[in-house]
Amino acid sequence: MLNQKGGGVGSGGASDGSNGKMKPQYNELSYLVTRQCLQQEEFNQLSQYDRVKGTPLDAIKDAFRGCNPFSSLLGFIPILQWLPKYHCKTDLLGDITAGITVAVMQIPQGMAYGLLAGVPANVGLYMAFFQCLVYAVFGTSRHISMGTFAVVSLMTAKVVTTYAVLPPLGSAKWNETFGVPPVIEPSDDPQYTPIQVATAVAFVCGIYHFLMSALRLGTLSSLLSEPLVSGFTTAAAVHVLISQLKDLLGVSIPRYKGAFKNIFSVRDIVEQVPNSNLTAVYTSAIVILFMIFMNEYLKPRASNWCRFPIPAELLVVVGGTVASYFIGLGPNFNVTLVGTIPVGLPAPEMPPLALLQVVAVDAIAIAIVSYSIVMSMGLIFAQKEGYEVRANQELIAMGATNIVGSFFSCIPTACSLSRSLIQHQAGGKTQITAVVSSLLILVVLLWIGPYFESLPRCVLASIIFVALKGMLWQVQHIKKFQREGSLELLVWLITFLSVVIIDIDIGLLIGVVFSLVALYIKGWKSYYSLLGTVPDTGIYVDLGSHQRAEEVPHIKIFKYSGAVNFASRASFKKALTKEVGVDQRLIRRASQYDAAGEGAGLQIIKTVIIDLSSVPHIDTSACKMFSEVKKDMGTVGVSTLIACPADCVYDTLMHAESIGEGGFHIFPTIHDAVLYAQGSASTV
C-alpha cells in the first residue's frame, strides 16, 4: 500500500544559519494518497481505457451528423449572423467615425501602393471599394482594413514586370497606355498589359484560397514562423525602398527581372544620382520632413485631445496636387506625374484565361503571404475584443474578395497594418466601417479622382518611404531572436539576406525551407537526464537542476524528451547507457561471468526505470530497441521498467511483435515503478 504525505508545512521563510539564505516557504496544504501500486495494465482496467479507432465511414457520418443547411449558410456568409444583431445606438457612431478615418487614409495609400504594384494609381482605389465590400460580407474579422498592402503590392509588381508589356518608362505614351494595350509591333507571343497580369494573379490567388479552405488548410499560415515573417517583411521593405528611390530622385532606370535585381537597380541609381531632377528631390525632401514631423511630433500630441488622427497623408496629397497644378511641376520642371485617372467604375472583365496558367506558380507565394497577414492581424484584434476569427472562413472570404476584385481591375488583396490599427483606435466595431469607407471612396472614384492627375509621383513615393519605418525597424528583432536561440536568429538572417539579395519569391522559399529544417532540428534535438526525488514529496525531478533532489538507492530513473524512432533509436540507447553507466564493454564482460554483474561494478544498480512521459511517439524500431536494452540490462543483473507512457506510446508497445515473450513491466507513474522495484528487491 502507498501511504504518501506530500508537501511540508511551514510558517514562513527562515534562515538556515549557514549561508544566510532563506528557506523556501511552503503552502500550508498537504495531501494523503493511499492506493495499491499499479501497473499500466491494471490502471487501464481501473480507468476502463478503450482504444477506439474510427473507420473512414464513421468520420463521414460524424461530418454530416447534425448538419443544418441553414446554419451552414449563415456560417458561409457571416454578415447574415451579425448584421441582424447590429446595435445602432452603441456601434453606428464608432463605425461611421472609423469609416471616415480609414477612407481618408485609403486615398493616398491606395494610389501609392497601386503604383508600387506596377498598375495605375486608381487601381488602389478600386480595391478600397470592391474588395472591402466583398470582405465585409464573407469575412469574420471586424476590425481589419482590406485593400492594398506594401508587401503584396511589391510581390504583384514582380509578376507584372515579368509578364506584362510596357511602353518605355518616361515616354509620352506611358500614362496613356499604362492601363490599356500598348501600341506594339505584331508578335507571335501573346502581349498582356499590367492590368491583365495583375488581375490574373488576383484570380488565381482567389482559386488557391478556395482550394485551401476546401482542404481545411486554415492553419497553413502557422508554418510561417515569427523569425521568418519578420525577416521577410523587413527584406520586403528594403525592396520597396529601392523601388521608390528612382521616383524620389526623379530618374529613370531599366526594369530588371529575376534574381539579384536589387543589386543591379542600386548600381543604376547610384550612377544616375548626378542626373537627378532637383525639383523632384526638393519636393521629396519637403514631403518626407513634413511627414516625419507629423508622425513623430504632432500626431502623438494631438491624439490626447482629438479622436480623429490628423490625415497627414491626405494633406500631403492634396497640397502636392494643388502646388503641382499651379506651379506646373510636370510641364515646367519635367517632374513625373500620376497621370490620367479615369472617372467612374471599371466595367467587369474576366482576366485572360491563357494568363492564369502562366502566373499560377507566382501566385502561390502571394496567396500564402496575403492570407498569413490577414489571419495574423485578425487574430490580434479578435483576442483584444473577445470574438472568434475562423481560419477556413477567412480563406473563403479572401477567395471571394480576390476573384470578385479580379473582374474589376483589382490586384491581390491583404489588410493594412496601419489602417487596421487606426480603424480599431477610431472606434470601429464591425465591418460597417468598411461599408462607410467604401462609399466615400466611391465618391472619389465618381467625381474627385481626376483632380489628382497633377499629383507628382515623388509625393507618393515619399509617403511610402516614411510608411516603411515600422517595417524597417523590425531589424531590431535580431536581438530578441538571438536571445531565443541560434536557430531563430539564423532563420531571420537567411530569410532577410535571401529576399534582399536574390528575390522576393525565391528568398521566401529559401526562408520557408530553412524554417522547416530548423523546426525539424528542434524536434530532432532531444533532452535527457537522470531523475531523483525531493525528500518528503514523492516528486521526481532532474538531478542536475534541483540541488535538493536525491537519487533513489539502487535505482536509476532515465527521462528522455523527444520522439524515439528508427532515426533516433541509436542516440537514445547511447544516452541511456551513458547516464546509467552501462556500456557494451561491461555487458560483454558481465556475460562471461557465471554470476551476472559480479566484477562489473554494477552491484549497486538493481533497476533502470525509463520515463516516457515526454516521448510523444515511438515506432516499431524503438520497440525493438527497448527489447535489446532490456536484454542487455538483464545480462548485468539490472531489471528494466517503463513508466508514464502516453496512450499512443503504450498502444505501440503492446502491439509490437518485437517486444518478445514476457514484455515489459509498464507503470502509470514513476512512483509506482519505484515502489515495485523496491518491493522486488526486498523479496530477493
Side-chain angles (χ1 to χ4, degrees):
M1 301 291 288
L2 168 62
N3 191 342
Q4 176 187 344
K5 189 173 183 179
V9 179
S11 58
S15 174
D16 60 7
S18 59
N19 54 12
K21 292 183 179 179
M22 300 296 290
K23 290 183 179 180
Q25 188 175 11
Y26 294 98
N27 192 326
E28 295 187 2
L29 294 174
S30 62
Y31 66 90
L32 184 67
V33 177
T34 302
R35 63 170 175 82
Q36 294 179 335
C37 176
L38 298 173
Q39 295 196 36
Q40 186 71 43
E41 187 176 356
E42 296 170 332
F43 179 76
N44 287 346
Q45 293 176 356
L46 181 65
S47 65
Q48 297 185 357
Y49 171 66
D50 184 19
R51 185 187 185 220
V52 179
K53 274 195 170 182
T55 64
L57 182 60
D58 293 333
I60 296 175
K61 290 180 179 179
D62 292 339
F64 285 94
R65 188 178 291 117
C67 181
N68 187 325
F70 182 71
S71 299
S72 300
L73 177 63
L74 292 179
F76 183 74
I77 309 178
I79 194 173
L80 298 179
Q81 293 178 314
W82 59 263
L83 189 58
K85 304 175 184 178
Y86 186 78
H87 301 288
C88 292
K89 292 183 179 179
T90 58
D91 298 341
L92 185 59
L93 180 60
D95 284 339
I96 292 177
T97 302
I100 296 173
T101 305
V102 171
V104 169
M105 293 185 66
Q106 285 270 28
I107 296 171
Q109 285 191 1
M111 297 174 67
Y113 292 137
L115 291 175
L116 178 62
V119 294
N122 55 301
V123 169
L125 301 179
Y126 295 157
M127 296 173 65
F129 177 71
F130 292 104
Q131 293 181 330
C132 285
L133 286 179
V134 176
Y135 182 84
V137 175
F138 294 99
T140 58
S141 176
R142 305 172 189 173
H143 295 91
I144 61 175
S145 175
M146 301 298 288
T148 53
F149 181 64
V151 175
V152 175
S153 295
L154 187 65
M155 297 177 74
T156 303
K158 177 186 178 300
V159 187
V160 169
T161 304
T162 303
Y163 300 110
V165 176
L166 304 175
L169 183 61
S171 67
K173 291 188 176 182
W174 169 260
N175 291 322
E176 300 175 6
T177 64
F178 197 71
V180 296
V183 179
I184 55 177
E185 294 297 328
S187 172
D188 294 334
D189 297 328
Q191 309 293 328
Y192 302 109
T193 66
I195 285 292
Q196 289 176 323
V197 175
T199 55
V201 174
F203 187 89
V204 175
C205 284
I207 296 297
Y208 285 150
H209 287 141
F210 277 130
L211 290 175
M212 291 165 64
S213 176
L215 297 174
R216 316 301 290 179
L217 296 179
T219 58
L220 185 63
S221 61
S222 61
L223 292 177
L224 303 181
S225 63
E226 185 180 358
L228 172 67
V229 173
S230 176
F232 172 73
T233 52
T234 307
V238 175
H239 271 269
V240 176
L241 177 63
I242 293 174
S243 70
Q244 298 306 299
L245 287 177
K246 63 182 187 299
D247 288 328
L248 292 173
L249 299 175
V251 298
S252 299
I253 62 172
R255 301 178 194 87
Y256 293 101
K257 305 177 183 179
F260 311 108
K261 65 180 182 182
N262 271 348
I263 298 176
F264 300 139
S265 297
V266 171
R267 180 200 62 189
D268 290 347
I269 290 173
V270 171
E271 292 177 352
Q272 289 294 323
V273 167
N275 301 324
S276 299
N277 186 316
L278 294 181
T279 303
V281 173
Y282 296 149
T283 303
S284 301
I286 293 172
V287 172
I288 291 173
L289 291 175
F290 176 79
M291 291 294 299
I292 292 176
F293 171 78
M294 296 293 288
N295 292 339
E296 303 297 330
Y297 181 79
L298 193 58
K299 279 186 178 182
R301 287 162 175 75
S303 62
N304 297 325
W305 51 267
C306 181
R307 183 176 181 181
F308 292 91
I310 298 177
E313 293 87 351
L314 186 62
L315 292 177
V316 166
V317 168
V318 174
T321 303
V322 173
S324 174
Y325 178 79
F326 286 103
I327 298 176
L329 293 181
N332 298 333
F333 297 93
N334 200 29
V335 175
T336 306
L337 306 180
V338 168
T340 304
I341 299 179
V343 178
L345 299 176
E349 181 181 357
M350 173 75 182
L353 293 178
L355 254 178
L356 304 184
Q357 184 177 357
V358 174
V359 302
V361 176
D362 300 271
I364 295 176
I366 299 176
I368 295 176
V369 169
S370 61
Y371 169 68
S372 301
I373 293 167
V374 168
M375 194 63 197
S376 59
M377 287 298 296
L379 289 174
I380 290 173
F381 292 114
Q383 185 176 7
K384 286 183 179 180
E385 299 296 331
Y387 62 90
E388 179 187 9
V389 172
R390 291 182 281 131
N392 283 291
Q393 180 60 34
E394 286 299 292
L395 286 170
I396 293 175
M398 293 196 67
T401 300
N402 278 319
I403 289 179
V404 172
S406 69
F407 287 94
F408 295 96
S409 301
C410 295
I411 68 174
T413 188
C415 69
S416 166
L417 279 65
S418 58
R419 291 198 309 271
S420 299
L421 290 172
I422 292 298
Q423 178 172 323
H424 181 258
Q425 294 170 2
K429 302 295 184 182
T430 67
Q431 281 294 339
I432 292 297
T433 299
V435 177
V436 174
S437 174
S438 299
L439 293 178
L440 293 177
I441 295 297
L442 179 62
V443 173
V444 175
L445 288 170
L446 294 180
W447 293 287
I448 303 178
Y451 291 101
F452 292 112
E453 293 179 357
S454 299
L455 176 65
R457 288 170 63 102
C458 62
V459 172
L460 294 178
S462 301
I463 293 175
I464 295 175
F465 180 85
V466 176
L468 291 176
K469 175 194 171 184
M471 295 174 65
L472 291 172
W473 221 242
Q474 292 179 131
V475 73
Q476 294 180 324
H477 291 175
I478 291 180
K479 297 180 181 179
K480 180 180 73 171
F481 296 131
Q482 186 179 15
R483 290 192 299 267
E484 292 180 0
S486 56
L487 286 176
E488 283 76 9
L489 178 61
L490 278 175
V491 169
W492 194 97
L493 290 174
I494 289 176
T495 304
F496 176 81
L497 294 175
S498 300
V499 172
V500 170
I501 296 175
I502 303 177
D503 207 351
I504 288 184
D505 50 358
I506 299 176
L508 177 61
L509 178 61
I510 293 174
V512 169
V513 170
F514 191 81
S515 180
L516 294 177
V517 171
L519 183 64
Y520 180 75
I521 292 174
K522 291 178 184 178
W524 177 276
K525 189 177 181 181
S526 59
Y527 171 80
Y528 57 87
S529 62
L530 286 180
L531 304 185
T533 180
V534 179
D536 302 324
T537 64
I539 299 174
Y540 296 86
V541 293
D542 185 352
L543 286 168
S545 304
H546 300 264
Q547 302 302 318
R548 292 194 64 206
E550 299 176 355
E551 193 168 6
V552 181
H554 310 298
I555 298 175
K556 293 285 188 179
I557 306 172
F558 176 77
K559 180 173 183 177
Y560 187 88
S561 300
V564 186
N565 49 43
F566 70 95
S568 61
R569 52 175 287 181
S571 60
F572 178 94
K573 190 173 182 179
K574 181 179 180 181
L576 174 63
T577 55
K578 173 187 174 184
E579 292 295 320
V580 173
V582 181
D583 59 22
Q584 292 297 321
R585 291 178 299 172
L586 292 176
I587 293 171
R588 288 194 297 268
R589 188 184 308 169
S591 64
Q592 299 173 1
Y593 288 84
D594 294 333
E598 295 183 3
L602 295 174
Q603 296 88 343
I604 61 172
I605 304 175
K606 300 298 182 183
T607 306
V608 171
I609 299 173
I610 301 176
D611 176 15
L612 299 181
S613 58
S614 298
V615 175
H617 170 74
I618 64 173
D619 61 6
T620 55
S621 297
C623 295
K624 185 177 180 181
M625 182 267 299
F626 286 143
S627 296
E628 294 172 357
V629 168
K630 180 185 177 184
K631 180 180 177 181
D632 292 344
M633 292 297 177
T635 303
V636 294
V638 177
S639 60
T640 305
L641 308 178
I642 290 179
C644 308
D647 288 340
C648 59
V649 173
Y650 175 78
D651 290 334
T652 305
L653 286 170
M654 289 297 96
H655 292 85
E657 298 178 356
S658 58
I659 289 298
E661 202 172 322
F664 276 92
H665 291 295
I666 305 175
F667 299 87
T669 69
I670 297 176
H671 203 64
D672 283 284
V674 169
L675 293 178
Y676 177 85
Q678 291 173 337
S680 300
S682 64
T683 59
V684 177

